[in-house]
Amino acid sequence: MLSMTQTRAPTRLGIGAVCLAAAGLALVAVSTFLPWVVSGTVLRDSYQSISVIRAIKAVEGNPLELVLDAWTMIIPMITVCAVGYALGFRRTAATISTILAIICGTIAGTATVVGGGEDISLGIAGTGPIVMLIGAVLTVIGVVGIFAGQRRGATGDAGGEP
């Protein structure tokens, strides 16, 4: 009989799903350092682009300034998900991962569609957004597997006679 302090080990599906979600989150993190903006022959990652936007004060006092601040929190949120999963908060970590993947995937998908291709001199580069989109999709698929890989049954003592 399980007590409230015991936890169940994930199934093989759950372990495979965690690996897939972790790979997706790793791709999301790495993609923030890949080229997102092309300007002539210069390629800038997302953080360099944010620095340029802040330097020219393009969004000062604008609600979009909060979006730039939130973007810098992608990697810390991925860390929170990894630590949460390691500490046994699997569903919470999976839920946060899904929200993060949906937001990042939406931004990356939009940037991929709006991007001007390879022969542009000023615009959105393809590498960062495409890798982030792939990572976001892998994360969402992995999270579905995490929830599907949960063992069925009671997780604690119902309080009846043994």
Side-chain angles (χ1 to χ4, degrees):
M1 179 176 265
L2 288 175
S3 69
M4 293 304 250
T5 59
Q6 292 176 325
T7 59
R8 294 179 187 261
T11 62
R12 277 192 251 163
L13 172 63
I15 292 171
V18 167
C19 292
L20 186 63
L25 288 173
L27 284 175
V28 168
V30 167
S31 70
T32 63
F33 296 101
L34 294 174
W36 276 74
V37 176
V38 60
S39 176
T41 59
V42 178
L43 295 172
R44 291 189 171 84
D45 66 34
S46 63
Y47 301 110
Q48 292 169 331
S49 302
I50 289 171
S51 295
V52 169
I53 291 169
R54 286 184 176 155
I56 63 173
K57 299 179 181 183
V59 293
E60 189 173 333
N62 192 325
L64 290 177
E65 191 172 16
L66 294 173
V67 174
L68 298 180
D69 292 337
W71 186 263
T72 61
M73 295 304 295
I74 290 174
I75 294 176
M77 288 306 297
I78 290 171
T79 305
V80 166
C81 293
V83 170
Y85 190 86
L87 293 176
F89 300 105
R90 293 183 182 118
R91 292 180 180 164
T92 303
T95 303
I96 294 170
S97 296
T98 303
I99 294 167
L100 184 66
I102 290 170
I103 292 168
C104 290
T106 302
I107 293 168
T110 303
T112 301
V113 170
V114 172
E118 297 297 323
D119 298 331
I120 58 171
S121 60
L122 178 63
I124 298 173
T127 310
I130 290 172
V131 172
M132 182 171 279
L133 185 58
I134 292 168
V137 169
L138 290 177
T139 301
V140 171
I141 292 170
V143 166
V144 169
I146 289 171
F147 283 112
Q150 298 281 324
R151 292 195 189 268
R152 303 264 187 248
T155 58
D157 187 1
E161 292 288 323

